[in-house]
Amino acid sequence: MPYNAPCTGKLGRGGEELGAGMAVTEGGADANIGARLVVTADVRYLVVIRQFVQAAGAALGASQRVIDDLVQAADELCANTILYGYSSQAGEIEVIVRREGDGLAVALRDRAPVFDPASVREPDLDAPLEERAVGGLGIFLSRKLTDELRHRARASGGNELVLVKHALSGSAGS
Amino acid sequence: MEIRVEQILGSAPVTILRLTGDLDSASYRELIDAAQQACEAGARRLLLDLSAVGYMGSSGLIALHRAVLLARGSQPAESEAGWRAFRDMGEDAAQGRQGAVRLLSPPPAVRRVLETAGMDQYFEIYADEAEALRAFAEATGA
C-alpha cells in the first residue's frame, strides 16, 4: 500500500522499525496484535490514517461495515486532535489497530493537552438539531459509530483514545 | 479533491459542482471556495454531484452548509470549522429543508454520514440528475 507521508511503524509486538514510508503490518503469529502507525499530526495525512485503519481492519478479519465505522470515527477524532489538541502545532499521532475480545479496537495516542471527549455532553437525539450540534458533530459521530469510546490521560503526557466495536461484523452503533 | 463546475442555463439556471475525491478536514475548504466562486458569479442554485466522493467527514457537512449560506447570499461567519460552525449549521438546519443546494447520488457511506448527523433532513437528495434539475425548475415555478 503506497503511503507518501512522513510516518514510521513497527511490526506488531515492538518489532522492526520500518522508517519513513508505510507502516501497515500484520501481527505475525498473534493476529490480535494488529498494526501500528505513527504519523505527523497534519490534516493532509488523515487519508493515511483512514487507509491504515481500513487495511489493518481488513487484515484482522473485520467486516467492511465495522471498518467503515472505525475509519470515520478515527478520522473525526484525529482531525479534532490535529486542529484543536495540537492547534496545528507540530506533533504526532500513533494509531494502533488490534483485536479486542470478539471485536476490533483502534487506539489513538497523542501528546496534545489532555481532553476527554466524554466531557462533551451526550447529544439528545430527540432535541432540536441546534442543541445536538452544540455537542460537537465530530465527537457526536464518533460516539454514534462506536460501541465504546474510552479515554485516559497518558502518564507521560497526552491522551489515549480507544475506539471499540464489540463484534467483527455488525451494524453501525451496535 | 477535484471539483468540476458546469452551468445549466435556462429559466432556472443551476450550477453543478462535480466532486471527485475525499471530502475531509484537509479538503473541505476547496468545496467552500468553489461554491463561493460560483455564487460570486451569480449562482443561486447549486447541485452538488457527490457520486465520486469516497469519504466525507463532519468537515464535509460544514462545507455543505456553507454552500447553502453562499447560495442564499448570506454572509457566513469567519469560523468555518469548529464549534461555532457546528452551532451555526444546527441552528440553520432546524429551520427545515432548504432548496438552494441539492445533492446528487451520494454513495452509501456518504449518505450514512448525512443520516447519522441528521442532515438528510436538510438536503433534497436525488439519484437522477434530470430529476434534480426538474425539481429546481419546479421550485422556482419555471
Side-chain angles (χ1 to χ4, degrees):
Chain A
M1 175 169 294
Y3 291 131
N4 297 311
C7 56
T8 59
K10 287 184 178 180
L11 286 172
R13 189 177 291 157
E16 177 189 357
E17 186 76 37
L18 296 176
M22 58 158 284
V24 79
T25 59
E26 292 183 45
D30 186 348
N32 290 333
I33 295 291
R36 172 177 178 267
L37 169 79
V38 180
V39 65
T40 300
D42 188 309
V43 291
R44 289 175 297 174
Y45 302 132
L46 287 170
V47 64
V48 176
I49 294 171
R50 293 197 298 269
Q51 290 173 345
F52 174 75
V53 174
Q54 163 67 47
L60 291 171
S63 70
Q64 191 56 52
R65 181 67 177 247
V66 164
I67 294 170
D68 284 347
D69 288 349
L70 286 175
V71 164
Q72 181 104 36
D75 175 87
E76 300 288 353
L77 294 169
C78 288
N80 280 354
T81 296
I82 294 165
L83 295 171
Y84 309 116
Y86 284 120
S87 299
S88 298
Q89 300 297 306
E92 287 183 335
I93 295 176
E94 181 182 359
V95 185
I96 296 168
V97 182
R98 63 177 184 243
R99 292 283 301 273
E100 183 170 301
D102 293 330
L104 190 68
V106 177
L108 306 172
R109 295 173 182 161
D110 63 56
R111 298 284 181 196
V114 172
F115 172 72
D116 181 359
S119 66
V120 178
R121 69 179 175 83
E122 185 73 39
D124 178 357
L125 286 177
D126 295 324
L129 187 60
E130 74 271 27
E131 291 181 20
R132 275 186 267 159
V134 171
L137 198 50
I139 292 171
F140 165 68
L141 288 175
S142 301
R143 284 184 185 164
K144 183 88 176 155
L145 295 168
T146 56
D147 297 320
E148 203 178 325
L149 182 55
R150 301 194 300 262
H151 171 268
R152 73 176 177 90
R154 301 169 72 189
S156 55
N159 304 273
E160 179 182 80
L161 283 168
V162 182
L163 297 56
V164 185
K165 296 289 279 189
H166 288 156
L168 287 179
S169 63
S171 58
S174 65
Chain B
M1 157 149 289
E2 182 185 325
I3 301 176
R4 205 151 43 88
V5 182
E6 291 177 25
Q7 304 283 351
I8 305 296
L9 303 177
S11 52
V14 176
T15 300
I16 304 178
L17 302 182
R18 299 195 193 277
L19 283 59
T20 302
D22 290 354
L23 191 50
D24 66 1
S25 295
S27 65
Y28 75 105
R29 285 190 178 86
E30 296 173 40
L31 172 56
I32 294 173
D33 290 345
Q36 183 157 5
Q37 284 178 23
C39 294
E40 283 174 358
R44 288 296 175 265
R45 298 174 197 85
L46 300 179
L47 179 61
L48 305 185
D49 180 355
L50 303 178
S51 60
V53 172
Y55 173 83
M56 183 171 77
S58 58
S59 48
L61 294 171
I62 297 295
L64 296 183
H65 175 247
R66 178 65 79 94
V68 173
L69 295 182
L70 289 162
R72 285 173 169 171
S74 307
Q75 186 60 43
E78 275 306 304
S79 56
E80 67 270 16
W83 308 95
R84 171 71 182 275
F86 293 145
R87 189 167 58 244
D88 290 349
M89 184 173 74
E91 287 171 354
D92 201 30
Q95 306 301 313
R97 187 164 282 169
Q98 51 75 45
V101 177
R102 297 168 194 242
L103 309 180
L104 178 63
S105 302
V110 172
R111 186 154 189 150
R112 274 183 59 212
V113 178
L114 289 163
E115 291 169 355
T116 305
M119 294 303 285
D120 57 325
Q121 303 301 312
Y122 187 53
F123 291 98
E124 300 280 358
I125 300 173
Y126 301 87
D128 180 72
E129 184 171 322
E131 186 189 343
L133 294 175
R134 268 198 305 275
F136 271 117
E138 287 167 4
T140 54

